[in-house]
Amino acid sequence: MPGKVKAYELQSKSKSDLTKQLSDLKNELLTLRVQKITGGAPSKLTKINVVRKSIARVLTVMNQKSRQNLREYYKNKKYLPLDLRPKKTRAIRRRLTKHEASLKTLKQRKKDIHFPLRKYAVKA
């Protein structure tokens, strides 16, 4: 099995293919670690790093795909899970929305209706 995998090649694979490739890579890593202990060739020892990075790539693509599927599922729902919402900053998240900020109280609406701004004719 080739050690290094490309992320763009993984994007097109299905979830079952990715899980199979992940298990293959983990088995390969296991054999390489055994060879390291038993005193294997230096070329095998350098391959450990490549296999570890390949495992990370496969897991990353799996996570990206699952998050993408979740985004599609929650697209038109009322609420989004916290990890799919935009991060921004704590202050921005707690700020009033534009709609909430533009609302007026009942008292203010009555005052606006009953006491409109006066218009003055100014002599030039």
Side-chain angles (χ1 to χ4, degrees):
M1 161 135 210
K4 187 162 181 164
V5 290
K6 303 269 192 291
Y8 68 87
E9 293 169 355
L10 296 173
Q11 296 287 349
S12 59
K13 290 189 175 182
S14 67
K15 185 171 177 143
S16 58
D17 289 341
L18 287 171
T19 51
K20 185 181 178 303
Q21 184 160 12
L22 183 64
S23 62
D24 291 345
L25 285 167
K26 284 188 174 181
N27 286 334
E28 187 179 353
L29 183 62
L30 186 72
T31 57
L32 287 171
R33 284 187 172 150
V34 169
Q35 287 174 356
K36 177 184 173 186
I37 291 168
T38 57
S43 61
K44 294 283 187 187
L45 300 182
T46 55
K47 198 173 179 199
I48 289 177
N49 198 33
V50 175
V51 174
R52 283 179 60 233
K53 301 298 180 194
S54 296
I55 290 173
R57 281 190 195 93
V58 172
L59 287 171
T60 301
V61 170
M62 287 173 76
N63 278 330
Q64 284 174 343
K65 284 187 168 221
S66 67
R67 283 177 69 85
Q68 189 61 38
N69 291 338
L70 283 172
R71 281 194 193 282
E72 289 297 318
Y73 176 73
Y74 284 106
K75 192 168 193 133
N76 297 320
K77 301 270 194 284
K78 186 173 181 183
Y79 296 111
L80 261 179
L82 292 177
D83 59 334
L84 294 181
R85 293 179 194 175
K87 180 89 165 86
K88 299 186 179 173
T89 63
R90 193 166 189 266
I92 291 174
R93 290 195 305 266
R94 276 150 184 72
R95 196 161 57 190
L96 290 177
T97 62
K98 282 190 170 37
H99 174 69
E100 290 168 340
S102 68
L103 292 177
K104 290 183 178 178
T105 61
L106 179 63
K107 187 173 183 177
Q108 186 62 46
R109 284 194 305 244
K110 284 182 180 176
K111 197 187 281 188
D112 289 345
I113 291 168
H114 295 298
F115 302 98
L117 274 177
R118 293 179 177 176
K119 297 181 183 88
Y120 296 99
V122 181
K123 223 182 221 182

